[in-house]
Amino acid sequence: MASIDRTKYLFVGVDLHKKTHVAVLCNCFGDVMKQFKITNAPNHFPDFLEDLKKHAEGKDIIFGLEDVNFYGRSLAKFLIANGYIVKEVNSSYTKKKRNKGTNRNKTDELDAKAICMNLIMEYDAHPVANPQDIYLAIKQTLSTRNNYVKMAANMKLSLHNLLIHHYPNYTDFFKDLESKTARGFFYTYPSCEMVANVSTEELTKTLQQYNKSVPKTKAQEILNAIAANGWVDNGYQEERNQSIRSYIQSIEHLEAEIAALEKQLDRLIDETGYPLKTIHGVDTVLAATFIANIGDINRFKHHSQLAKLAGIAPIEHSSGELQNRYSNKLGNRELNKAFYSLALTQIRQGINPLMYEYYQKKIKEGRKKKQAMVYVARRLVSIVFSIMKNKTPYRQPTVTVEAVGA
């Protein structure tokens, strides 16, 4: 049941774009009263608001925006500052509602109408927008960190592809390229011929420059492996050597940036006051992912709203005596993935006895593993919601039959 009398309000759905937004003003029945085009610049927002008031018939207005942290951020902050209710409308639900109709055309006006209809029909399901700067800072810092991680991973793959032409069997003496010893060796000797006349003692001294505790037998192990396989002289070797050194330098630079960004995330997380890292398995990145995608927890009145945002609350479909529940694919996929990742940790034996027993209980009831995981994730939504709402650290529960529950 809606918490407001919708007949007393008018509703505005806004389809957001980089330069120009499209908005429609509707009554509570979804009838379009007026369409607007808004230049996405703060100086133009007051004119839009004044024009809107002329057609509002004196009624209060509620706004629905699909995105309040990117193209729609400035407009959302302006409307909130002027005392209006702004709801964050899930774009997946809007798309679903638009596709239900017989009109398969796609225009900005139709998208704005779909947002408006979703706002009206699912008013309570959408959280109130509250685009505070700290949550944007966390989201952007996390995004930068994640991009650097992807870049570093791609560079490591490219470095591996270069090295196998120079050292086909390098994994015989270095398991991977993560250690300082491995990187130091390949930076100093990017190709086999550079090691040809190097003695065991000289190579040991080189390795110790990067890792003082490197085993004394390591140098001989490397030299033996290279001698056993040999190598082929190739042209333009110096250029390829430089590529290897460049990759190693770039990877180490990115890793230093990633570490610095994670420290910055720690500071920002502490500033929010949300003690999510007290949950076993929630590190800096996972805590930042939760906060970046949830934002101000006070936007949600109940943990069921958060579950719906995360796409964890199931969709019910019933007809007569037949009742089915389907997984929800319409929620925030990044948030959904974060809860699933946390659930994987929590169901491990010895980590969280309560969640482990609850997961096993659902399996014994005949649930498939994925279904049981959804039940665990749903309980974790309630836990995360409570921790953020009350800003109290998580306390590991004691397992009892009653605690496992249904």
Side-chain angles (χ1 to χ4, degrees):
M1 182 179 293
S3 60
I4 62 169
D5 181 355
R6 285 176 286 185
T7 61
K8 295 181 179 180
Y9 293 87
L10 296 179
F11 300 85
V12 175
V14 185
D15 186 37
L16 303 163
H17 296 279
K18 183 177 181 180
K19 294 183 178 180
T20 305
H21 304 324
V22 175
V24 295
L25 174 68
C26 299
N27 60 23
C28 64
F29 303 106
D31 301 321
V32 176
M33 300 170 61
K34 182 68 177 177
Q35 295 182 357
F36 304 87
K37 287 194 175 181
I38 317 152
T39 301
N40 186 19
N43 288 343
H44 293 263
F45 297 158
D47 293 337
F48 159 64
L49 202 54
E50 288 302 316
D51 192 16
L52 184 63
K53 289 177 182 178
K54 294 176 183 178
H55 300 86
E57 302 173 351
K59 289 187 175 182
D60 290 331
I61 304 169
I62 298 175
F63 293 83
L65 281 68
E66 282 187 333
D67 164 52
V68 297
N69 284 309
F70 199 55
Y71 290 148
R73 181 177 177 80
S74 296
L75 178 60
K77 293 188 74 171
F78 170 79
L79 294 171
I80 293 169
N82 281 273
Y84 288 93
I85 297 174
V86 180
K87 287 274 194 167
E88 187 174 356
V89 179
N90 189 314
S91 59
S92 298
Y93 287 94
T94 301
K95 182 179 179 181
K96 181 181 178 182
K97 189 172 292 294
R98 183 177 62 239
N99 291 340
K100 280 184 177 180
T102 57
N103 186 352
R104 295 301 178 182
N105 294 327
K106 186 183 186 307
T107 66
D108 294 339
E109 290 76 13
L110 288 173
D111 285 346
K113 171 71 180 299
I115 293 168
C116 199
M117 289 300 299
N118 200 358
L119 173 66
I120 296 168
M121 302 303 294
E122 303 284 346
Y123 180 82
D124 283 345
H126 303 302
V128 175
N130 188 10
Q132 296 182 30
D133 292 338
I134 188 169
Y135 302 119
L136 178 64
I138 291 174
K139 193 176 188 70
Q140 291 177 332
T141 304
L142 179 65
S143 177
T144 303
R145 180 262 176 199
N146 290 342
N147 286 336
Y148 284 177
V149 168
K150 291 178 183 178
M151 290 168 63
N154 288 334
M155 286 187 177
K156 288 175 185 177
L157 179 60
S158 297
L159 176 59
H160 165 77
N161 291 335
L162 279 173
L163 286 174
I164 58 175
H165 291 288
H166 298 197
Y167 294 91
N169 64 324
Y170 83 82
T171 54
D172 290 347
F173 47 89
F174 287 121
K175 183 179 179 180
D176 52 45
L177 300 172
E178 300 299 320
S179 70
K180 293 181 179 180
T181 309
R183 292 180 185 177
F185 172 78
F186 290 121
Y187 187 85
T188 308
Y189 308 108
S191 55
C192 285
E193 57 264 33
M194 300 180 72
V195 198
N197 299 316
V198 176
S199 66
T200 304
E201 292 76 16
E202 185 180 351
L203 181 54
T204 299
K205 288 180 180 179
T206 300
L207 297 179
Q208 288 176 341
Q209 292 177 10
Y210 300 98
N211 181 6
K212 293 182 179 180
S213 60
V214 65
K216 294 182 179 180
T217 58
K218 192 65 180 179
Q220 192 59 54
E221 179 188 346
I222 294 171
L223 294 174
N224 290 342
I226 294 172
N229 285 273
W231 65 86
V232 176
D233 290 329
N234 294 298
Y236 301 98
Q237 187 63 52
E238 185 55 38
E239 287 78 6
R240 287 182 284 121
N241 289 349
Q242 184 55 39
S243 293
I244 290 174
R245 287 175 173 143
S246 178
Y247 271 127
I248 292 173
Q249 285 181 321
S250 297
I251 290 168
E252 293 186 341
H253 172 72
L254 282 173
E255 288 177 343
E257 290 295 312
I258 291 167
L261 288 168
E262 289 179 358
K263 287 183 178 179
Q264 185 172 314
L265 283 172
D266 273 327
R267 292 193 296 270
L268 291 170
I269 291 169
D270 289 342
E271 191 174 334
T272 66
Y274 296 143
L276 290 174
K277 290 172 68 177
T278 58
I279 304 174
H280 193 99
V282 176
D283 59 6
T284 297
V285 174
L286 191 54
T289 302
F290 281 129
I291 296 171
N293 289 279
I294 294 172
D296 182 9
I297 196 63
N298 293 315
R299 300 189 301 140
F300 305 91
K301 294 181 179 180
H302 193 266
H303 53 74
S304 60
Q305 291 179 306
L306 179 56
K308 192 166 186 178
L309 174 68
I312 293 172
I315 297 174
E316 295 188 6
H317 187 277
S318 61
S319 178
E321 296 181 358
L322 183 63
Q323 293 184 347
N324 291 313
R325 303 179 83 187
Y326 300 98
S327 59
N328 187 349
K329 303 294 185 183
L330 302 178
N332 181 315
R333 304 320 297 167
E334 189 173 352
L335 189 56
N336 183 280
K337 184 179 178 181
F339 276 113
Y340 186 83
S341 175
L342 180 57
L344 284 174
T345 301
Q346 296 295 302
I347 64 170
R348 289 167 52 192
Q349 193 169 10
I351 300 298
N352 188 327
L354 181 63
M355 290 300 172
Y356 173 77
E357 293 296 334
Y358 183 62
Y359 174 76
Q360 294 300 325
K361 179 178 183 292
K362 291 301 176 184
I363 295 293
K364 291 176 183 177
E365 289 176 354
R367 309 287 182 184
K368 295 180 180 179
K369 290 183 177 180
K370 285 187 177 181
Q371 292 174 324
M373 283 289 291
V374 173
Y375 278 94
V376 173
R378 181 62 184 86
R379 283 206 164 184
L380 290 171
V381 169
S382 300
I383 291 171
V384 168
F385 177 84
S386 178
I387 289 174
M388 294 179 70
K389 198 79 168 179
N390 302 313
K391 295 188 175 181
T392 54
Y394 179 68
R395 298 180 66 179
Q396 192 83 331
T398 302
V399 178
T400 63
V401 176
E402 292 77 11
V404 174

